[in-house]
Amino acid sequence: MDQAATLDRTIARKVAARPIGTVPIHLTINGTPHDLAVEPWTTLLDLVRETLALTGSKKGCDHGQCGACTMLVDGKRINSCLKLAVTLDGSEITTIEGMGSADDLHPLQAAFIERDAFQCGYCTPGQICSAQGLINEGQARSRDDVRELMSGNICRCGAYTNIADAVLDVLGQEKQA
C-alpha cells in the first residue's frame, strides 16, 4: 500500500506541475480579426481588458448584476464578465471602443452627451452597448420598454431618466430613417 500511495503522489505531482493548456480561438473584435490562445477560464471581459488593452468596458460587480461590462456578441448584448472567451470562437465582438470615436461619435454616444446621460461615466460604456443591443432586438417601443429592457444596467449616479431619453432619441431616429 505504501508503494501505491507513493506512486499516486508522484503521478499527482507530475500532473499538478504540468501547465494547463490554452485553447486557440478566433474572434473579430471591433472589426479586427484576432487569433488568440486563451486559458479556458478567461472571461471575455478579462481577455478584452487584460490581453487586448481595450479598457472601455468596465469590471463592476464581476457577477453579471450591474451591466458595466456589457458588450455585443454577434449584435446581442451580454454580460462579458460571465462569458468564457473560449465559448465564443468565431464570434464578432463589439466593445465601446468599436461603437464610435472622438471624431465620429456613434448616434448613441452623441445622444448620451446631448441628454447628459452620465455623471461619473463608469456605467456609460455598458449602458451604450446595452442600448445598441436593445435597438438591435427591436422590442422597445416606449419609455417603459426602454426602462425595463435596460434594467440590467445599473447607474449608481441615478441618470436613468436621461439615459432613457438618449435611447428614445436614437430609437426615434431609427424609425424615421
Side-chain angles (χ1 to χ4, degrees):
M1 251 195 185
D2 254 340
Q3 188 175 8
T6 301
L7 183 58
D8 286 345
R9 278 195 295 270
T10 303
I11 292 170
R13 282 190 195 113
K14 285 181 183 176
V15 169
R18 188 176 1 158
I20 295 176
T22 58
V23 177
I25 62 172
H26 175 81
L27 298 174
T28 301
I29 301 175
N30 300 328
T32 303
H34 294 273
D35 290 307
L36 303 158
V38 179
E39 294 167 326
W41 56 83
T42 303
T43 65
L44 176 60
L45 179 62
D46 288 339
L47 174 71
V48 167
R49 286 184 58 83
E50 305 300 325
T51 304
L52 301 176
L54 297 171
T55 57
S57 301
K58 304 302 181 204
K59 186 177 275 201
C61 67
D62 213 20
H63 289 29
Q65 297 177 353
C66 73
C69 67
T70 303
M71 294 179 196
L72 300 171
V73 175
D74 299 325
K76 297 180 178 154
R77 55 195 170 150
I78 66 155
N79 290 324
S80 64
C81 71
L82 296 180
K83 192 68 171 172
L84 295 176
V86 295
T87 66
L88 298 171
D89 188 26
S91 296
E92 186 169 322
I93 313 298
T94 304
T95 68
I96 191 64
E97 291 90 348
M99 296 286 293
S101 67
D103 297 329
D104 185 25
L105 293 177
H106 184 278
L108 281 165
Q109 291 170 319
F112 268 61
I113 292 168
E114 179 67 27
R115 290 294 191 158
D116 196 24
F118 54 89
Q119 287 181 33
C120 78
Y122 197 82
C123 73
T124 304
Q127 296 278 1
I128 290 174
C129 286
S130 185
Q132 184 60 57
L134 172 146
I135 291 167
N136 294 349
E137 292 163 11
Q139 297 178 12
R141 295 179 184 24
S142 68
R143 175 177 294 280
D144 287 343
D145 290 344
V146 169
R147 290 174 60 101
E148 177 65 27
L149 294 168
M150 294 284 292
S151 65
N153 290 81
I154 296 172
C155 173
R156 295 187 72 186
C157 301
Y160 295 114
T161 300
N162 298 3
I163 291 168
D165 289 342
V167 175
L168 288 166
D169 286 351
V170 175
L171 277 171
Q173 293 168 13
E174 301 249 331
K175 290 177 185 175
Q176 293 172 7

